[in-house]
Amino acid sequence: MKKIWTVISILVVLMVAIVIVMGNPFSETASNQRSFKKQVSHIGEAAQMSLNDVTTFEWDKVYSFVPYTSKDEIAKIIGFNSNEIQETVNEGMEQLLFVKDNRVVFSICGYASNLKFSVHLGEYEGRYICLYRLDNPLFDLSRSSDIITLTYIAKK
């Protein structure tokens, strides 16, 4: 009986550690991430598309930050702190924060080769770029090998 409790305890500790390191797989942001990846991967051969077409969740703004922007600076720019804020550790990483009503509803921080997509909001004129859902931002779509790239071109 003692052996069973030891195994159960180890499994519980392991599950808690996974949630701490990787995040809650049942959270709103995790669900939105799965939805976004699914929508992006099912994009047809359209040459242009709206970002609103691949987001099945509600959002007001989407931010992208220059590489190495600190969590504190990101929180200051978006106006609140969140556990979803991550720092990029390399210039080749994707980083997007979708915000709705002062909370992060979806975040991306990773390499395009792992994500299988890349989203470019434009050229940085400062430390970040911000686009608004109401502007219905339009993107060019391109594919190279197994990566889908969305590049901002205008408001729709």
Side-chain angles (χ1 to χ4, degrees), residues 24-121:
N24 182 351
F26 305 107
S27 72
E28 176 184 29
T29 54
S31 173
N32 290 340
Q33 187 172 45
R34 287 188 297 273
S35 172
F36 186 81
K37 284 183 178 182
K38 181 179 178 183
Q39 291 294 108
V40 168
S41 68
H42 287 94
I43 293 174
E45 295 300 319
Q48 295 180 346
M49 52 152 301
S50 166
L51 187 58
N52 297 352
D53 295 338
V54 292
T55 52
T56 58
F57 50 89
E58 292 296 316
W59 59 279
D60 297 323
K61 303 173 191 174
V62 59
Y63 292 89
S64 179
F65 300 90
V66 295
Y68 311 109
T69 303
S70 72
K71 290 181 181 183
D72 289 339
E73 188 173 355
I74 292 170
K76 184 177 178 183
I77 290 166
I78 67 174
F80 62 92
N81 203 352
S82 171
N83 290 333
E84 299 296 329
I85 296 172
Q86 299 177 50
E87 297 174 17
T88 57
V89 295
N90 187 304
E91 292 181 19
M93 294 180 75
E94 299 285 319
Q95 182 182 38
L96 298 174
L97 285 178
F98 287 83
V99 174
K100 172 79 174 161
D101 298 329
N102 287 328
R103 72 182 161 71
V104 176
V105 294
F106 174 49
S107 66
I108 298 170
C109 190
Y111 296 97
S113 58
N114 294 338
L115 297 167
K116 303 300 182 202
F117 64 85
S118 178
V119 181
H120 301 282
L121 300 187

